[in-house]
Amino acid sequence: MIEEVLRQLPTESTQQAVAYPSLFLLVALGSLVPVVPTGVLVSSVSVVTFHQTSPFALLIVFAVASGAAFLGDICLYWLGKRGVASKNGSKWLEAITGRAAPERLAQAQEKLDEHGTVVLVLSRLIPAGRIPVMLACLLGRMPLRQFARGDVPACLAWAATYQLIGVLGGSLFPEPWEGVLAAVALTLVISGTPALWRRLRTRLAG
C-alpha cells in the first residue's frame, strides 16, 4: 500500500519545480505582509530537501529564501518611506506602525542609534523584532540604500538559521513528514516564547 502511494508521488525534479517558486512567492509575501509564518516555510522545505538526492538542493533553498526575504523587506520599506514622506501617510505605514508596540519601537530606536544597521541582523533573528526595527529606520529617515546594505546580511542570517532548523529536523527523523512536524514545532516554540515571556512579565509587573 505504501509503495503504491510512493509511486504516485511526483518525481523529485517535479517537486523542486513547484517548491522553489512557491517558496519564493510565499516568503516574499510573508515579508511584505507580516502574517505568513515564513520561518516555518523555510524549515519545512529544508526538511524535505534534506532527504532529496540533489547535492545543490539545500543551497538553492537558501538562495531562494534569502532572496525572497530581501525583496519583501525592500518593497515594504519602500512603501513605508512613501508613507513617511506623505502628509496623509499610507496604509502600509499604518500597518507597520500597528504591529510595533510603543515600548519595542522605543527600544529599537535606541539600539539603532547605538549600533546602526547591525541591529537589522538581530531584528531578523529575534521573533517579532523585524517590524519595530524597520519602523525605527523609517522614522529615522534612513535611506533605502543604507537599509538595503544592512538587510542583506540580515536576510542571509535569517535564511541560514531556519534552514538549519529544518536540516536538524530532517537528520533526526528517517521520514520527511516526521522532520517537518519537528521543525514546525521547534520554529513555533522559538517564535512564540518571546511573546509569552513579555505577557508573563507584564502580568507580574501589573
Side-chain angles (χ1 to χ4, degrees):
M1 181 67 180
I2 296 179
E3 293 180 357
E4 293 179 0
V5 173
L6 291 176
R7 291 194 193 99
Q8 295 175 359
L9 291 176
T11 62
E12 185 174 304
S13 58
T14 303
Q15 293 177 22
Q16 293 173 354
V18 174
Y20 296 151
S22 300
L23 178 64
F24 186 90
L25 290 175
L26 290 174
V27 171
L29 177 63
S31 299
L32 187 60
V33 183
V35 176
V36 179
T38 52
V40 173
L41 292 173
V42 176
S43 297
S44 301
V45 173
S46 297
V47 171
V48 178
T49 305
F50 179 80
H51 288 276
Q52 294 180 347
T53 58
S54 174
F56 302 107
L58 286 173
L59 288 177
I60 296 175
V61 170
F62 173 75
V64 169
S66 56
F70 178 75
L71 177 63
D73 283 356
I74 293 301
C75 290
L76 183 60
Y77 193 78
W78 179 77
L79 291 169
K81 281 186 69 67
R82 292 188 61 185
V84 171
S86 174
K87 293 182 180 180
N88 299 323
S90 70
K91 64 177 183 180
W92 290 101
L93 183 60
E94 292 177 1
I96 298 173
T97 305
R99 296 185 64 86
E103 63 276 7
R104 299 207 68 188
L105 175 59
Q107 187 180 44
Q109 289 174 319
E110 181 181 350
K111 296 295 183 183
L112 191 63
D113 292 337
E114 293 177 0
H115 305 289
T117 54
V118 177
V119 180
L120 287 172
V121 179
L122 297 177
S123 72
R124 260 288 182 181
L125 298 178
I126 298 174
R130 181 173 69 100
I131 296 302
V133 172
M134 181 180 289
L135 183 57
C137 293
L138 286 170
L139 297 179
R141 305 280 179 167
M142 179 181 291
L144 179 60
R145 182 176 298 179
Q146 183 181 356
F147 176 83
R149 285 199 300 267
D151 196 52
V152 168
C155 292
L156 293 175
W158 170 83
T161 299
Y162 281 99
Q163 188 173 45
L164 182 61
I165 294 174
V167 170
L168 179 62
S171 63
L172 291 177
F173 299 94
E175 296 295 333
W177 67 267
E178 295 175 329
V180 169
L181 289 179
V184 169
L186 182 57
T187 303
L188 292 177
V189 168
I190 292 175
S191 60
T193 299
L196 291 175
W197 170 248
R198 286 194 300 271
R199 291 180 181 179
L200 179 60
R201 187 172 59 181
T202 301
R203 289 182 180 181
L204 292 175

